[in-house]
């Protein structure tokens, strides 16, 4: 108990430095969570993008003035023998069990990427759902489409976790513009009731997915009158390059905060070491064992770390660490990374001073005390 009281008294004497230390560590922890989530999301998108890699797959983002004439563009492409396959995604929304979902209507070429939806007998329209819907293959559900009418569906596939699927929105400048992670229900547009007209999206350009043996230059020369055409492999490469640059930037900012926190810890330890050297020497003269002084230091560090851990828990509770956006497995990995980070940053900077205290020359300490140092 006496060790705890002495440790608390030392913390009180340096309360300003300790508050700065805690704030710096908490900021760096928030930065760590953002970096972890950012890297995780980028890795997911990169994996999804790499799954799309195909030497014959192109993305045609229609020019805006072609949006109202989409069917005319589709007919022209179907009539072209150089185009082997055309894929398209119609976008809408729906709700089920009080939860909002993006509704993607895929043609047969694209829905087959996730699950077969043709050739079977179903109690409702066959659909692929994201895992957060809580539905399993074979389950039936009734969804409300665009807040207008109900449709019965039967689950024929569940997207892998974390959720990622094709969901193009407007011009596709990069792979992340045609991939989404939001809760979703995907259906075969040829088997699904026609969507009600939506004036908000009537003039929004669509992305078409084309498979052709033509090379990139031939594709651009032949079809760029309809919109921006890009090879999927080029989009993947561009996305990977951009992602790596952003990850490096985030990592550099995090390292700067870590260095700042380490400097504050070192400063605190230096000041504390100078101030407490005389106190510990006096405690030794009145009968305290030197290892007990070390125990006081360990107690001080333990109290400070406990307070930091409690503050981190509060940050997590109020969403500052964004762990709700992580899967259970990734959340556990993040907590392990966080623990290792705290040990490395906190104890690696304090270990030297604890070792120095444990191996301090008692005679030299007594001489310094006698000399008034």
């Amino acid at each position: 108990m006496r060790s705890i009281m002495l440790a608390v008294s030392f913390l009180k004497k340096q309360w300003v430095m300790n508050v700065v230390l805690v704030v710096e560590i908490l900021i760096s922890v928030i930065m760590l969570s953002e970096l972890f989530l950012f890297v995780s999301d980028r890795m997911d998108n990169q994996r999804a993008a790499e799954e799309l890699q195909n030497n014959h797959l192109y993305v045609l983002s229609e020019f805006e003035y072609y949006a109202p004439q989409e069917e005319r563009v589709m007919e022209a492409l179907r009539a072209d023998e150089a185009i082997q396959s055309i894929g398209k995604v119609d976008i809408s929304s729906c709700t089920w069990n009080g939860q909002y979902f993006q509704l993607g209507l895929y043609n047969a070429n694209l829905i087959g990427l996730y699950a077969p939806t043709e050739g079977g007998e179903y109690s409702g329209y066959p659909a692929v759902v994201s895992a957060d819907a809580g539905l399993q293959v074979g389950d039936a559900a009734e969804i409300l489409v665009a807040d207008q009418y109900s449709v019965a569906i039967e689950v024929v596939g569940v997207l892998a976790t974390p959720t990622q699927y094709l969901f193009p929105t407007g011009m596709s400048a990069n792979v992340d513009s045609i991939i989404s992670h939001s809760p979703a229900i995907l259906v075969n547009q040829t088997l699904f009731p026609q969507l009600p007209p939506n004036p908000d999206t009537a003039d929004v350009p669509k992305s078409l997915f084309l498979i052709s043996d033509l090379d990139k230059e031939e594709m651009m020369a032949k079809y760029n009158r309809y919109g921006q055409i890009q090879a999927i492999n080029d989009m993947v490469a561009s996305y990977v390059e951009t992602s790596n640059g952003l990850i490096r930037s985030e990592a550099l900012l995090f390292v700067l905060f870590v260095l700042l926190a380490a400097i504050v810890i070192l400063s605190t330890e230096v000041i504390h070491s100078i101030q407490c050297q005389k106190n510990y020497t006096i405690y030794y003269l009145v009968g305290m064992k030197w290892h007990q002084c070390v125990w006081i230091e360990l107690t001080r560090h333990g109290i400070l770390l406990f307070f930091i851990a409690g503050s981190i828990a509060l940050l997590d509770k109020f969403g500052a660490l964004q762990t709700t956006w992580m899967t259970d497995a990734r959340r556990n990995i993040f907590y392990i990374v966080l623990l290792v980070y705290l040990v490395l940053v906190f104890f690696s900077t304090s270990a030297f001073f604890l070792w120095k205290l444990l191996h301090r020359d008692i005679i030299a300490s007594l001489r310094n005390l006698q000399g008034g140092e």
Side-chain angles (χ1 to χ4, degrees):
M1 180 60 71
R2 183 174 61 176
S3 297
I4 296 176
M5 294 179 63
L6 288 172
V8 171
S9 68
F10 288 149
L11 289 171
K12 287 182 178 179
K13 288 179 182 179
Q14 299 171 358
W15 69 271
V16 175
M17 290 293 292
N18 289 323
V19 168
V20 173
L21 169 65
V22 171
V23 170
E24 289 291 343
I25 289 180
L26 292 181
I27 291 176
S28 67
V29 167
I30 293 174
M31 291 294 300
L32 176 63
S33 70
E34 291 181 350
L35 178 62
F36 183 87
L37 191 63
F38 180 81
V39 172
S40 298
D41 287 345
R42 290 286 161 174
M43 289 176 62
D44 290 339
N45 279 4
Q46 189 167 320
R47 176 169 59 86
E50 289 173 347
E51 290 174 354
L52 295 174
Q53 283 186 323
N54 186 317
N55 292 329
H56 305 290
L57 179 59
Y58 297 87
V59 180
L60 173 63
S61 301
E62 295 176 338
F63 290 135
E64 188 171 350
Y65 52 78
Y66 271 118
Q69 309 172 50
E70 180 185 339
E71 285 305 318
R72 186 166 68 86
V73 175
M74 293 281 289
E75 287 299 324
L77 292 172
R78 288 192 189 100
D80 194 324
E81 294 181 356
I83 301 299
Q84 300 170 7
S85 176
I86 302 174
K88 186 184 73 165
V89 180
D90 286 329
I91 297 171
S92 186
S93 63
C94 65
T95 55
W96 176 77
N97 199 26
Q99 186 178 359
Y100 174 87
F101 292 87
Q102 292 189 141
L103 178 63
L105 280 74
Y106 289 40
N107 66 2
N109 294 328
L110 292 179
I111 194 67
L113 294 172
Y114 303 101
T117 60
E118 296 179 319
E121 295 184 1
Y122 306 107
S123 59
Y125 294 101
V128 178
V129 303
S130 53
D132 37 26
L135 296 169
Q136 304 297 325
V137 173
D139 288 348
E142 189 168 289
I143 61 174
L144 180 62
V145 178
D147 293 326
Q148 296 192 35
Y149 59 88
S150 297
V151 174
I153 63 170
E154 181 178 331
V155 178
V156 297
V158 178
L159 295 173
T161 303
T163 303
Q164 51 191 20
Y165 53 94
L166 285 174
F167 204 76
T169 53
M171 298 292 286
S172 302
N174 215 327
V175 169
D176 54 350
S177 63
I178 60 174
I179 294 174
S180 179
H181 300 284
S182 302
I185 295 177
L186 313 178
V187 297
N188 188 327
Q189 59 191 197
T190 60
L191 305 178
F192 201 77
Q194 185 175 0
L195 291 175
N198 186 345
D200 296 331
T201 61
D203 295 329
V204 175
K206 299 292 193 305
S207 291
L208 305 178
F209 301 87
L210 313 176
I211 293 181
S212 174
D213 289 329
L214 297 179
D215 61 29
K216 180 171 62 176
E217 287 72 21
E218 291 175 316
M219 290 291 291
M220 293 181 65
K222 194 169 185 179
Y223 305 113
N224 61 2
R225 65 180 180 275
Y226 297 121
Q228 179 187 9
I229 187 163
Q230 301 177 83
I232 193 70
N233 288 354
D234 290 344
M235 296 177 69
V236 171
S238 175
Y239 179 79
V240 171
E241 182 180 356
T242 302
S243 295
N244 291 339
L246 292 172
I247 289 173
R248 285 193 294 269
S249 299
E250 288 283 328
L252 178 61
L253 186 59
F254 171 70
V255 169
L256 291 176
F257 270 97
V258 170
L259 290 176
L260 185 58
I263 290 172
V264 173
I265 294 174
L266 285 171
S267 302
T268 303
E269 291 295 338
V270 170
I271 295 172
H272 176 77
S273 177
I274 295 172
Q275 292 179 345
C276 292
Q277 182 175 346
K278 182 185 295 185
N279 291 338
Y280 285 138
T281 304
I282 294 173
Y283 296 158
Y284 176 78
L285 289 175
V286 296
M288 181 179 285
K289 302 297 182 182
W290 204 248
H291 72 271
Q292 291 178 296
C293 298
V294 176
W295 179 250
I296 293 174
E297 280 299 289
L298 288 173
T299 304
R300 182 178 72 88
H301 285 87
I303 293 173
L304 191 57
L305 189 59
F306 179 80
F307 184 79
I308 291 173
S311 300
I312 292 173
L314 286 176
L315 288 178
D316 194 15
K317 180 179 180 180
F318 289 102
L321 301 186
Q322 305 180 74
T323 53
T324 54
W325 293 92
M326 304 176 189
T327 62
D328 291 340
R330 286 187 177 172
R331 191 178 301 115
N332 293 333
I333 293 174
F334 171 72
Y335 289 144
I336 293 173
V337 170
L338 178 58
L339 178 61
V340 171
Y341 165 70
L342 290 176
V343 170
L344 290 176
V345 171
F346 197 80
F347 284 109
S348 63
T349 54
S350 305
F352 172 74
F353 295 99
L354 289 172
W355 179 87
K356 186 177 179 181
L357 178 62
L358 186 61
H359 296 84
R360 178 169 292 170
D361 187 342
I362 305 299
I363 302 301
S365 298
L366 291 172
R367 287 174 181 171
N368 292 337
L369 179 64
Q370 187 177 9
E373 296 182 10

